[in-house]
Amino acid sequence: MKINELTSDMRHVTVEGTIDKISEPRTVNLRAGGSALVADAIISDETGSIKLSLWDDQIKMVKEGDRISIDNGYTQAFRGENSLNIGRYGKIAVLEG
């Protein structure tokens, strides 16, 4: 899929893009208890860009400028803005080249 084709509440999303920016990780409290680190990344392709939420170990897997693929991700609207999430069943991979 292309980024401009993503709408809110999609499931089983597979997309490739380049990481333009990653925010500083911040600690959030989880509904289930405990806390986690989360960082917001902006990924883009030739059609547009979208916010991607990176959690815990995912933050260390990628860096700005990396070309990545998201497999089995999902989208949701948060504060009126579409965002892409990897979730428990999704995968993130850095592409070579």
Side-chain angles (χ1 to χ4, degrees), residues 1-3 5-16 43 50 69-76 83-86 89-91:
M1 293 189 86
K2 297 297 182 190
I3 289 174
E5 297 172 333
L6 300 178
T7 58
S8 64
D9 299 320
M10 293 176 77
R11 299 284 177 262
H12 311 295
V13 172
T14 298
V15 71
E16 291 183 8
I43 71 163
I50 191 167
S69 71
I70 306 294
D71 189 35
N72 199 24
Y74 66 94
T75 61
Q76 66 183 29
S83 66
L84 179 61
N85 298 275
I86 299 161
Y89 304 108
K91 292 188 177 75

Side-chain angles (χ1 to χ4, degrees), residues 17 25 28-29 31 37-38 43-44 59-60 62-63 71 74 77 90 92:
V28 295
N29 293 320
R31 273 185 240 145
L37 278 178
V38 64
I43 71 163
S44 64
I59 298 168
K60 298 179 193 81
V62 297
K63 62 185 182 306
D71 189 35
Y74 66 94
I92 182 171

Side-chain angles (χ1 to χ4, degrees), residues 21-63:
K21 186 177 170 191
I22 301 176
S23 70
E24 283 297 312
R26 64 190 184 280
T27 302
V28 295
N29 293 320
L30 302 174
R31 273 185 240 145
S35 62
L37 278 178
V38 64
D40 297 324
I42 302 295
I43 71 163
S44 64
D45 64 12
E46 64 277 4
T47 67
S49 62
I50 191 167
K51 186 169 85 174
L52 169 68
S53 297
L54 298 170
W55 293 85
D56 293 322
D57 293 342
Q58 295 168 349
I59 298 168
K60 298 179 193 81
M61 290 174 64
V62 297
K63 62 185 182 306

